Amino acid sequence: MGTEARMDCQHNQITLYTAQTDEVVRNLLEQGRHYVKLEYIIRKYEEVAAVFLQAYAWYTENAQRIVPKPAQAESAVWSFCDVRYLENHPGSQILKLSVPIENAVFFRMSDWNKVLNLRYIGESAAEEAQFAEKLARYGVRYEGDVYTTPFYPHLKKELKDSWQRLFRYDQQVKATGVSPYPDMQAGLWYLDRQWLQET
């Protein structure tokens, strides 16, 4: 299952990294907590925001079954187990966090990218290839069309059902403190000023 690496876990805390705008960091320091608002996502993604909002809505609906979502959180804060997976843009900062492990929902970045691109998450590459072959038999060229058009309800259900695999590593990570893949990501419902660590 890939290269296993022990995560930085101690006393049920895990070290995670997130990149946030200077505005978010300022608000976090002043108010003590930061919650994501959908307006931030719309502002960030502009004309393609609608596609992202669908994926984020699916994530929010399903991730809150793993870690209950506070009412103030409209979406998740993305964080990573390995700082190398962060994109750092001008006007943003990388934050090092020590988070109670039960506050995080763990998944692979590569699986999340499949959800964002409205693609199938298989148990294996072979299973994903089988789904692609099935789509080809129906004349579907782009997987996302299954999701965005009303013509393939049974295929859309199969596609959306596959997204539950996004969370397949969550319990394993929490039980062992071991990252089964280097691209492990974690969703947090908020940032807490007390989690901030010196970098």
Side-chain angles (χ1 to χ4, degrees), residues 5 17 80-88 94 109 181-183:
Y17 302 88
F80 292 84
C81 300
D82 188 328
V83 70
R84 290 176 296 177
Y85 286 89
L86 282 176
E87 293 181 16
N88 192 17
I94 291 178
M109 183 175 74
Y181 293 95
D183 68 338

Side-chain angles (χ1 to χ4, degrees), residues 119-134:
R119 294 183 53 221
Y120 184 87
I121 301 176
E123 288 290 350
S124 64
E127 187 180 317
E128 290 176 3
Q130 287 174 344
F131 187 71
E133 287 169 16
K134 184 187 289 190

Side-chain angles (χ1 to χ4, degrees), residues 24 35 53 89 92-93 100-101 107 121 132 140 161 170 173 186 199:
V24 167
Y35 298 92
L53 289 173
H89 301 287
S92 67
Q93 302 174 41
I101 200 164
F107 50 92
I121 301 176
V140 178
D161 287 351
D170 181 72
V173 170
T199 52

Side-chain angles (χ1 to χ4, degrees), residues 8 15 20 23-24 45 58 62 64-65 69 76 81 97 109 114 127 139 152 156 159 168 173 179 184 196:
D8 188 1
T15 300
Q20 299 296 324
E23 176 188 0
V24 167
Y45 294 110
W58 178 89
N62 289 278
Q64 66 185 333
R65 296 177 188 151
K69 181 182 80 64
C81 300
L97 310 170
M109 183 175 74
K114 288 175 186 169
E127 187 180 317
Y152 313 99
K156 180 177 181 177
L159 176 72
R168 59 188 153 178
V173 170
S179 175
M184 293 305 293
L196 292 173

Side-chain angles (χ1 to χ4, degrees), residues 135 138-140 145-147 149-157:
L135 296 185
Y138 280 93
V140 178
D145 289 344
V146 168
Y147 190 90
T149 64
F151 307 122
Y152 313 99
H154 61 294
L155 293 175
K156 180 177 181 177
K157 181 181 184 320

